Amino acid sequence: MEVAVFSSKSYDECYLTEANQVYQHELQFYSAHLNPDTVSLAAGASIVCCFVNDCLNAQVLSALAAQGIKFIALRSAGYNHVDLDAAKALGIKVASVPAYSPYAVAEHAVGLVLVLNRKIHRAHTRVREGDFSLHGLLGFDLHGKTVGVIGTGKIGSVFARIMQGFGCHLLGYDIVENAECLQLGMQYVELDELLKQSDILSLHCPLTPETFHLIDVQALAKTKPGVMIINTSRGKIIDTVAAIDALKRQHIGYLGLDVYEEEADLFFEDLSDQIIQDDVFARLQTFPNVLITSHQAFFTKEAVRNIAATTLANINAFATGQGELHLVG
Ligand code: NAI
């Protein structure tokens, strides 16, 4: 079947082509995001393949349906960017990649904790410039600190296990308790209690109407002064303006972000020759205790290979009616 692959980068093309060798579907790669202006690129295809910052709202889905698209293969675990009600009404099926490497994302979250705490990013720049002083680089022992994990599913539980290895106490908040986390000694508490007690907060829940701006002014007011907050989940779980205010008041001590509320206009692109128009993002970048990566937590060889394999398996299952199809919605 012909598949229009949107938001395609060289690594997508490489790994999807490799995974397609056994199936031989016809893959058309487009670097453009899917949106109302680019939707016509899918004309002639039966399936579209999308990533996290493609626009899959009712307008785009209607245009896809009018072009005969019946299936959307997401190359992501999260599907908060898809209007699933509209897709259902239009008869479009949507599949995602439910698990590809919880280790990739959890290890990146731990990386943000370590770099922020020990200011390794700043130390690297300083040493390269011949400044071997240590002022401003004082960190803290992770051993004995309390780590609050919000969302203790596949990624949250791997993150918890690594942090337990550092000798941290684990608190968890989730709508479902995970037996693996309980075995690690995690104590499940109400959100308020977790916010109150945690030295480090790490977000691993999906973006849903319930988790939108879960970390807002009120939630931040309950956190410890100097708290470290890590978000590798979805940008809109944190109210960025509230976080900036808390950073200015020196209430948030460290902020590590792999995702950002308005990342769709920025992340995954080389904008180094352009003027960034997003003033909120620009303000975030001025803080020495904020570390931002461009939605790269998933980006390991193992994860990208698994994403490609499951995406092609989903496409093939839809095309042939055989094999496992990881439908969402
Ligand atoms: P998962 O489904 O295994 O775990 C999510 C957990 O969040 C579940 O235990 C669920 O019960 C919990 N949860 C759901 N609603 C909640 C609520 N209202 N309050 C508290 N907990 C709630 O998902 P997984 O694989 O661990 O992924 C978590 C998130 O990580 C994804 O939804 C996605 O947004 C993000 N992600 C980010 C990536 C990156 O590259 N930065 C890559 C992959 C995923």
Side-chain angles (χ1 to χ4, degrees):
M1 279 203 172
E2 192 168 320
V3 184
V5 182
F6 283 89
S7 298
S8 173
K9 301 288 181 196
S10 56
Y11 47 83
D12 291 307
E13 191 162 341
C14 169
Y15 283 94
L16 288 170
T17 302
E18 179 188 280
N20 191 35
Q21 275 174 9
V22 283
Y23 305 113
Q24 297 293 323
H25 291 290
E26 218 177 301
L27 306 183
Q28 299 288 340
F29 294 98
Y30 300 105
S31 59
H33 286 329
L34 176 62
N35 60 40
D37 297 330
T38 61
V39 70
S40 59
L41 290 171
S46 316
I47 295 173
V48 296
C49 178
C50 297
F51 199 44
V52 290
N53 291 327
D54 285 314
C55 171
L56 288 154
N57 62 15
Q59 184 193 356
V60 171
L61 289 168
S62 298
L64 288 174
Q67 288 172 192
I69 299 292
K70 298 248 181 304
F71 182 58
I72 295 168
L74 300 175
R75 306 196 294 283
S76 58
Y79 46 86
N80 52 278
H81 56 308
V82 187
D83 185 335
L84 289 176
D85 292 337
K88 196 169 177 187
L90 292 160
I92 298 178
K93 289 190 168 137
V94 182
S96 73
V97 182
Y100 45 86
S101 171
Y103 311 105
V105 184
E107 289 168 11
H108 190 79
V110 175
L112 293 175
V113 171
L114 292 171
V115 172
L116 269 171
N117 173 22
R118 306 305 297 268
K119 293 135 179 112
I120 294 169
H121 54 316
R122 299 183 67 198
H124 174 70
T125 314
R126 202 179 278 191
V127 168
R128 281 171 68 100
E129 299 208 343
D131 176 355
F132 304 103
S133 68
L134 298 184
H135 63 91
L137 300 184
L138 192 66
F140 60 85
D141 285 3
L142 288 173
H143 184 88
K145 296 297 181 295
T146 298
V147 174
V149 184
I150 299 182
T152 59
K154 292 182 283 295
I155 296 169
S157 59
V158 173
F159 175 81
R161 197 182 317 143
I162 300 171
M163 297 312 288
Q164 192 219 32
F166 284 116
C168 296
H169 304 300
L170 301 175
L171 294 180
Y173 171 71
D174 199 310
I175 47 177
V176 191
E177 294 191 359
N178 180 335
E180 267 181 54
C181 291
L182 288 168
Q183 270 183 357
L184 290 171
M186 178 180 277
Q187 193 190 345
Y188 278 92
V189 291
E190 288 304 316
L191 182 60
D192 281 5
E193 198 53 34
L194 181 140
L195 296 172
K196 223 160 77 183
Q197 290 191 36
S198 299
D199 300 298
I200 298 169
L201 272 179
S202 196
L203 306 178
H204 299 289
C205 55
L207 174 64
T208 64
E210 292 75 40
T211 63
F212 175 81
H213 284 187
L214 188 72
I215 304 302
D216 60 5
V217 175
Q218 288 78 21
L220 287 168
K222 292 170 190 152
T223 58
K224 278 189 179 179
V227 65
M228 177 186 286
I229 301 178
I230 304 294
N231 188 8
T232 56
S233 193
R234 285 292 180 267
K236 289 183 195 295
I237 297 174
I238 296 183
D239 177 343
T240 316
V241 172
I244 288 173
D245 179 60
L247 282 159
K248 284 165 76 178
R249 290 185 285 108
Q250 300 183 40
H251 181 76
I252 294 179
Y254 313 80
L255 182 63
L257 302 177
D258 185 53
V259 286
Y260 166 62
E261 285 203 70
E262 304 303 332
E263 69 176 52
D265 293 335
L266 301 169
F267 285 7
F268 304 120
E269 306 303 329
D270 179 359
L271 305 179
S272 52
D273 285 336
Q274 296 185 29
I275 306 298
I276 300 292
Q277 298 297 323
D278 182 333
D279 292 348
V280 175
F281 185 79
R283 182 65 177 103
L284 266 184
Q285 285 187 300
T286 64
F287 296 99
N289 51 350
V290 173
L291 181 59
I292 306 173
T293 54
S294 170
H295 206 136
Q296 72 171 81
F298 75 99
F299 201 51
T300 66
K301 289 176 196 163
E302 292 80 359
V304 177
R305 181 163 281 129
N306 290 340
I307 290 170
T310 305
T311 301
L312 260 299
N314 278 337
I315 288 169
N316 200 59
F318 174 79
T320 63
Q322 287 175 349
E324 197 181 355
L325 188 52
H326 300 94
L327 291 177
V328 293

